[in-house]
């Protein structure tokens, strides 16, 4: 049971950070940047209906002969003037314009959804990479502490041999110097952990110094059969949030060009106007109004602008496609290299280094090798374990980037 100080509320919510899933779940709910993009998508969805709606009708009231030929003082009462005309008018765009505006707004919604998905993909990739770095730092700290304990034991062995006159005092000093270096490395690792924790808390919209749980394990890497470059390239083309947003922008540009060409045709308005004389309606008028598209130079300029914007959208989509496919190839190669490096260390280098260290330790205790040889063997096994942890973290970072490009989990 956890106890808090008097008057201080103790949160019952678990501290995130033990798994990458806990961090992603927290960020999905609390990250303000992602929330802002989702709200923008919600706002874009509300623009579709107004985009295709008719403009509000207009009502005009005209009072004619308000002095009745000079027989009375001016008045604004409709039944006391010569006549009152009520004109109700409704503007009507040319055929198809409303549908095009509605389609453009719908495509803008798709673009907003793509940008929101892209924001989440970027955010989740940063969280996954940050978690992998956190795991690497914690494991490196644990390894450094293990080596520090080992060096403490080796110092005691060197002291026993020195007391027995079997070795020089230099061995004891070397062991002490090595421990000092390890303690300095622990200080550096602690500082890196603080910076990484601050970064993760920033992504989670938490205070920079808020605690995070110790990372327990990394996600398993997908099997090589699921990392076929051609299949993933097809998935990227169909699912990448950036490409999705650019495709929506391209289709919106096509619709906008079509709408611009429809501006060659006039919009019109229809109206009805009853005429009031005294207390009764005695006349009705109907009207049709057209705007005359005479400013052809202006419209041609707008059409050229629409064509240029469409060409720009094509080029932008092509540039994004080239970029994401290049990044996919790079990260697939990096993931494969990290996987093979980890396997080589685990299956070959690490067992060899452990055997070398055990042999060197036994030989040192028997006086067959010097302390420098024992230190070299210890450093080799430590370097192998550090490289193994680093390869694991690198593989996770590469996997995070691949999933960012896909816009979904592998």
């Amino acid at each position: 049971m956890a106890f808090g100080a008097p008057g201080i509320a103790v949160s019952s919510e678990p501290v995130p950070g033990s798994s990458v899933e806990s961090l992603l779940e927290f960020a999905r709910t609390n990250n303000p940047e992602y929330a802002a993009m989702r709200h923008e998508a919600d706002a874009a969805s509300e623009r579709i209906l107004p985009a295709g709606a008719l403009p509000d009708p207009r009502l005009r009231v005209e009072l004619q002969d308000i002095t009745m030929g000079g027989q009375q003082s001016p008045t604004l009462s409709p039944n006391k003037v010569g006549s009152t005309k009520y004109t109700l008018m409704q503007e009507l765009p040319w055929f198809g314009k409303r549908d095009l505006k509605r389609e453009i707004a719908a495509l803008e919604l798709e673009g907003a959804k793509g940008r929101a998905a892209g924001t989440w993909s970027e955010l989740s990739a940063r969280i996954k990479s940050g978690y992998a770095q956190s795991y690497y730092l914690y494991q490196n700290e644990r390894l450094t502490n293990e080596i520090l304990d080992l060096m403490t034991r080796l110092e005691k062995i060197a002291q026993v041999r020195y007391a027995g006159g079997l070795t020089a005092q230099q061995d004891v000093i070397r062991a002490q110097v090595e421990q000092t270096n390890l303690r300095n490395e622990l200080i550096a690792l602690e500082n890196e952990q603080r910076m990484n924790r601050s970064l993760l808390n920033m992504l989670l919209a938490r205070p920079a110094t808020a605690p995070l749980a110790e990372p327990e394990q990394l996600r398993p890497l997908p099997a090589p059969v699921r990392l076929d470059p051609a299949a993933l390239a097809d998935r990227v083309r169909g699912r990448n949030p950036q490409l999705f947003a650019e495709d929506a922008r391209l289709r919106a540009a096509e619709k906008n060009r079509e709408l611009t060409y429809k501006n060659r045709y006039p919009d019109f308005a229809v109206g009805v106007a009853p005429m009031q004389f005294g207390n009764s309606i005695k006349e009705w008028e109907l009207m049709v109004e057209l705007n005359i598209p005479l400013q052809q130079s202006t419209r041609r300029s707008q059409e050229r602008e629409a064509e240029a914007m469409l060409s720009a959208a094509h080029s932008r989509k092509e540039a994004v496609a080239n970029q994401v496919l290049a990044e996919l190839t790079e990260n697939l190669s990096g993931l494969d290299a990290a996987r093979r490096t980890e396997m080589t260390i685990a299956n070959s280098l690490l067992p060899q280094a452990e055997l070398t260290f055990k042999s060197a330790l036994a030989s040192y205790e028997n006086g067959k090798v010097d302390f420098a040889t024992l230190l070299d063997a210890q450093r080799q096994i430590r370097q192998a374990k550090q490289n193994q942890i680093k390869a694991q973290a690198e593989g996770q970072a590469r996997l995070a980037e691949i999933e960012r490009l896909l816009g979904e989990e592998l």
Side-chain angles (χ1 to χ4, degrees):
M1 180 180 295
F3 296 94
I8 299 178
V10 179
S11 174
S12 60
E13 296 183 0
V15 177
S18 60
S19 66
V20 69
E21 290 79 11
S22 66
L23 296 176
L24 293 174
E25 182 180 358
F26 192 96
R28 189 183 293 274
T29 305
N30 296 280
N31 183 269
E33 182 180 4
Y34 179 51
M37 298 305 295
R38 286 186 287 120
H39 291 316
E40 288 186 6
D42 291 341
S45 69
E46 299 299 331
R47 300 189 191 109
I48 298 177
L49 181 62
L54 287 171
D56 290 331
R58 298 196 309 272
L59 173 65
R60 184 171 63 214
V61 178
E62 301 176 61
L63 301 177
Q64 300 177 0
D65 194 10
I66 61 176
T67 63
M68 295 293 287
Q71 299 178 15
Q72 64 183 24
S73 299
T75 180
L76 298 180
S77 178
N79 61 346
K80 294 181 179 180
V81 298
S83 63
T84 303
K85 182 178 181 181
Y86 304 94
T87 305
L88 182 64
M89 299 182 63
Q90 175 65 62
E91 295 182 2
L92 300 173
W94 187 259
F95 305 103
K97 284 187 177 182
R98 292 170 57 203
D99 291 337
L100 285 172
K101 290 179 179 179
R102 189 162 37 240
E103 291 171 4
I104 291 172
L107 290 170
E108 289 175 350
L109 170 60
E110 289 189 18
K113 289 181 178 179
R115 289 190 293 275
T119 298
W120 173 248
S121 294
E122 293 281 349
L123 175 62
S124 61
R126 294 180 66 185
I127 290 174
K128 292 170 185 175
S129 296
Y131 178 83
Q133 179 68 8
S134 178
Y135 180 86
Y136 167 75
L137 292 172
Y138 272 102
Q139 294 300 319
N140 202 1
E141 181 185 36
R142 180 177 298 174
L143 174 61
T144 304
N145 280 317
E146 291 176 358
I147 299 299
L148 182 59
D149 292 340
L150 174 61
M151 289 308 305
T152 302
R153 295 196 300 270
L154 292 180
E155 180 191 359
K156 292 178 180 179
I157 295 174
Q159 287 176 341
V160 171
R161 289 181 57 79
Y162 171 66
L166 300 176
T167 188
Q169 186 182 14
Q170 187 68 24
D171 290 357
V172 178
I173 297 175
R174 284 183 176 179
Q176 293 172 346
V177 170
E178 194 73 13
Q179 291 176 62
T180 301
N181 290 334
L182 289 170
R183 291 189 178 95
N184 286 334
E185 290 187 22
L186 285 173
I187 294 173
L189 286 172
E190 182 181 355
N191 180 56
E192 289 186 52
Q193 286 176 344
R194 282 198 298 265
M195 292 189 294
N196 188 69
R197 183 167 58 248
S198 175
L199 172 63
L200 285 173
N201 278 324
M202 181 270 292
L203 297 174
L204 301 179
R206 301 173 77 227
T209 57
L212 289 173
E214 181 176 340
E216 296 178 355
Q217 62 181 3
L218 297 174
R219 296 184 300 160
L221 295 179
V225 69
R226 298 178 58 193
L227 298 175
D228 178 66
L232 288 181
D234 289 338
R235 288 178 63 181
V236 164
R237 291 189 185 96
R239 299 177 182 270
N240 178 265
Q242 280 184 281
L243 282 176
F244 182 85
E246 292 300 332
D247 181 68
R249 182 183 294 185
L250 172 61
R251 289 183 289 150
E254 292 174 344
K255 295 296 182 181
N256 187 66
R257 178 187 62 175
E258 188 176 346
L259 178 61
T260 302
Y261 277 102
K262 280 190 175 292
N263 287 335
R264 293 181 176 185
Y265 304 100
D267 296 330
F268 52 96
V270 295
V272 58
M275 297 283 292
Q276 177 180 348
F277 296 91
N279 294 320
S280 61
I281 302 295
K282 296 183 178 180
E283 293 182 8
W284 290 83
E285 295 181 359
L286 296 177
M287 60 155 291
V288 176
E289 180 181 289
L290 298 176
N291 68 309
I292 302 175
L294 291 179
Q295 304 298 328
Q296 294 301 313
S297 59
T298 300
R299 285 174 174 75
R300 297 300 177 269
S301 179
Q302 292 172 343
E303 291 165 5
R304 288 192 296 270
E305 177 191 5
E307 294 285 357
M309 293 300 295
L310 178 58
S311 298
H314 274 292
S315 299
R316 190 179 296 109
K317 181 181 177 182
E318 183 178 353
V320 171
N322 291 336
Q323 177 184 345
V324 297
L325 291 175
E327 290 179 4
L328 176 65
T329 301
E330 175 187 348
N331 285 289
L332 284 173
S333 177
L335 178 58
D336 181 63
R339 189 202 303 272
R340 289 189 294 157
T341 298
E342 182 187 358
M343 292 178 61
T344 301
I345 294 173
N347 298 331
S348 179
L349 183 58
L350 189 55
Q352 293 170 356
E354 290 174 344
L355 288 174
T356 301
F357 175 75
K358 291 178 181 179
S359 175
L361 179 59
S363 298
Y364 177 73
E365 291 174 339
N366 295 327
K368 294 181 180 181
V369 299
D370 58 11
F371 194 72
T373 302
L374 181 60
L375 281 181
D376 287 340
Q378 172 266 318
R379 288 168 181 163
Q380 287 177 9
I381 191 173
R382 181 191 178 202
Q383 187 66 42
K385 289 183 177 181
Q386 283 182 327
N387 288 340
Q388 184 183 32
I389 300 170
K390 184 177 181 180
Q392 292 173 345
E394 176 67 15
Q396 292 293 318
R398 295 293 186 176
L399 175 60
E401 286 299 306
I402 292 172
E403 291 176 337
R404 176 184 67 83
L405 296 170
L406 287 175
E408 61 183 5
E409 305 290 324
L410 263 174

